[in-house]
Amino acid sequence: MDKIIVSGGHPLNGTVRISGAKNSVLPIIVATLLSEGRCVLEDVPRLADVQIIKDVLGSLGSEVSFEENTMMVNGATVDKVQAPYEYIKKMRASVLIMGPLLARFGRAVLSLPGGCAIGARPIDLHLKGLETLGAQITIRDDEVIAEVPGGKLKGGHIFLRVPSVGATENLMMAASLADGETTIENAAEEPEIVDLANFLNAMGARVRGAGTGIIRIKGVDVLHGASHAIIPDRIEAGSYLLAGALPGNRVTVSNCIADHLLPVLDKIRESGATVEINNMANTVTVIGGERIKPVDVTTLPYPGFPTDMQSQFMAYMTLADGTSQFTETIFENRYMHVDELRKMGADIKVEGRNAFVKGVPTLYGAKVRATDLRAGAALIIAGLAAKGETTIGDLYHLDRGYEDLIGKFQSLGAVIQRLDDGT
Ligand code: EPZ
């Protein structure tokens, strides 16, 4: 299995360009299933997850080509409504195909996505919302069979118990071709929801209110092809900027929308690092402070502090002058990185949804593993600050969400490499 080796103690100084957002490009690629024309997507990051969703669409009959960072999709050739089992198991975001398939073909069959390391991650809100729009859903032997009697979804009023990102996306897509108007209340407000809504509208949909808690969709009969550039990945940007916050470092990210990162930038400032925003140039620079001040973090739905930045910020806080408290309110099991950080000398106590991080003067390189996508980034940040060498295994997770991770960190001056130990 491949592994990453990071040598700590080398200062970072430089600029990296942020790639298209993983959590925007996945629903947008799925949304092309709604279209009967050709779509051109720019700034598509080269990620393992993008390859999987490309394969899912291919298995449904879509013609998909992917050169450099441009993806061309022809939805006119879609002729299946069941994706192979292994794809859904590989990546739970594949559950997003339900909305478009039901909206366009009146039927969708897929295996129930499993949970993952960070939590059970049920899809009850997706299914309940689709039933509100007229779908009949049966779950049999780990398979979800969804059908629309009469063939066409009908607009309805949906209240999401939790502002679920995935459920909001699935239901926005389903409602785009439904008969009549749909309202989604307590909708997720993430920038990726807005990006998807902009793409749907570019295809001829009528989505209003994305980015607020109430989204209204007026169904239309057909969606045509469209071109769209994916927004930059705020979590990738936050991960590099946190590395820049370590004392002695200075990191600039380009192709970054600072407005998507405000709660993270605010906490970085509170910790004593300097943050410079240039909205004209779409760049953000972080310069490490003399010391790291302890800062408390509670994860919340957007526009609160993102759960996808929790583990990276915790890695940073392991070296603070004091104790910081983390509260993870989104996922029930998103502290697996704690054991790995402890192997490097971190002093962290977990009590349910809370973690208390007591800063230590030094971290030491160790053999650790990436327990989920963002934990992998957290361990690289810790490895950059540690004394000695850190070896990170289980890289599959990292390949899912960070384009050219090694190259970008090396361009900042990090002594980091990826080894394929041939096993
Ligand atoms: C999206 O996951 C992101 N993934 C996650 O990013 C991100 O952490 C999450 O949103 C929260 O921001 C993609 O966009 C591909 P949710 P999603 O539905 O849609 C519960 C990363 O690292 N829930 O907003 O699955 C759920 O269990 C990944 O890039 C239900 O109870 O997240 C969780 O506790 C990790 N029933 C909470 O809602 C449902 O039907 C938020 O989940 C759906 C969700």
Side-chain angles (χ1 to χ4, degrees):
M1 296 291 276
D2 284 11
K3 54 190 174 196
I4 285 177
I5 299 182
V6 189
S7 299
H10 300 273
L12 299 190
N13 188 341
T15 300
V16 289
R17 184 183 186 279
I18 298 305
S19 303
K22 168 180 88 79
N23 292 348
S24 182
V25 74
L26 294 178
I28 284 177
I29 293 173
V30 171
T32 63
L33 290 170
L34 291 163
S35 160
E36 306 200 0
R38 291 179 181 286
C39 295
V40 180
L41 304 176
E42 307 284 355
D43 232 356
V44 175
R46 303 203 69 85
L47 301 171
D49 276 11
V50 170
Q51 191 53 48
I52 294 173
I53 209 74
K54 174 176 176 290
D55 294 344
V56 169
L57 259 67
S59 73
L60 296 172
S62 263
E63 284 167 3
V64 191
S65 67
F66 188 18
E67 304 286 326
E68 292 288 314
N69 292 101
T70 300
M71 183 175 279
M72 319 266 278
V73 190
N74 177 9
T77 55
V78 177
D79 58 3
K80 294 181 193 65
V81 291
Q82 174 160 6
Y85 171 86
E86 68 272 13
Y87 289 135
I88 313 290
K89 286 297 172 198
K90 250 189 201 170
M91 186 182 68
R92 36 182 338 288
S94 317
V95 73
L96 294 174
I97 64 174
M98 281 189 83
L101 291 176
L102 278 174
R104 192 160 158 214
F105 303 104
R107 185 171 159 77
V109 180
L110 66 158
S111 59
L112 261 181
C116 72
I118 63 178
R121 303 189 72 182
I123 59 166
D124 57 309
L125 299 177
H126 299 241
L127 302 182
K128 203 158 143 270
L130 291 170
E131 285 173 336
T132 303
L133 301 182
Q136 277 178 3
I137 293 173
T138 318
I139 296 183
R140 193 178 53 220
D141 316 331
D142 205 23
E143 195 165 65
V144 183
I145 298 143
E147 290 172 315
V148 185
K152 202 139 168 69
L153 292 172
K154 291 194 178 20
H157 184 98
I158 296 161
F159 179 84
L160 293 177
R161 168 175 57 81
V162 168
S164 155
V165 170
T168 302
E169 291 165 344
N170 227 335
L171 297 168
M172 242 174 27
M173 292 190 283
S176 296
L177 289 179
D179 255 346
E181 179 162 345
T182 297
T183 306
I184 304 174
E185 264 198 81
N186 197 29
E189 303 180 18
E190 274 72 1
E192 294 76 27
I193 302 284
V194 177
D195 205 26
L196 174 61
N198 290 339
F199 176 61
L200 289 170
N201 289 339
M203 291 196 288
R206 299 173 65 189
V207 181
R208 297 292 177 271
T212 74
I214 299 186
I215 301 178
R216 287 186 175 77
I217 305 106
K218 284 200 175 79
V220 295
D221 293 333
V222 173
L223 291 183
H224 49 71
S227 295
H228 184 80
I230 306 297
I231 57 168
D233 193 316
R234 60 194 166 99
I235 306 301
E236 182 196 15
S239 304
Y240 286 108
L241 289 172
L242 261 187
L246 293 167
N249 290 355
R250 178 195 177 98
V251 169
T252 297
V253 293
S254 63
N255 189 41
C256 172
I257 301 173
D259 281 356
H260 293 169
L261 262 175
L262 297 181
V264 177
L265 299 178
D266 182 49
K267 290 290 177 185
I268 290 177
R269 272 200 193 92
E270 202 183 321
S271 73
T274 303
V275 175
E276 292 167 359
I277 296 173
N278 181 333
N279 284 317
M280 290 298 286
N282 274 345
T283 62
V284 178
T285 298
V286 167
I287 304 157
E290 289 297 305
R291 300 288 312 147
I292 303 172
K293 294 180 191 144
V295 167
D296 293 342
V297 168
T298 297
T299 64
L300 289 169
Y302 196 88
F305 189 98
T307 173
D308 292 349
M309 281 299 302
Q310 180 255 105
S311 55
Q312 300 93 309
F313 209 91
M314 186 180 288
Y316 175 51
M317 283 292 111
T318 60
L319 288 165
D321 283 344
T323 299
S324 52
Q325 174 176 346
F326 285 74
T327 305
E328 172 57 58
T329 70
I330 307 293
F331 290 109
E332 67 272 24
N333 187 33
R334 202 167 198 175
Y335 285 138
M336 276 88 50
H337 46 282
V338 168
D339 282 343
E340 303 308 309
L341 290 170
R342 283 181 182 137
K343 289 177 189 168
M344 300 175 72
D347 180 350
I348 307 171
K349 199 164 61 182
V350 174
E351 287 171 12
R353 294 275 184 142
N354 297 315
F356 300 91
V357 182
K358 188 166 177 294
V360 294
T362 314
L363 290 180
Y364 298 91
K367 280 190 184 344
V368 292
R369 63 187 197 83
T371 48
D372 78 67
L373 164 59
R374 306 305 173 182
L379 292 167
I380 289 178
I381 292 168
L384 290 168
K387 272 199 180 350
E389 225 171 51
T390 299
T391 303
I392 304 169
D394 285 0
L395 298 186
Y396 167 72
H397 298 292
L398 271 169
D399 293 338
R400 297 183 50 198
Y402 290 91
E403 182 178 48
D404 187 22
L405 180 83
I406 302 298
K408 290 187 182 181
F409 267 118
Q410 285 173 340
S411 74
L412 292 171
V415 178
I416 182 171
Q417 55 180 324
R418 179 170 187 146
L419 294 180
D420 171 357
D421 61 7
T423 53

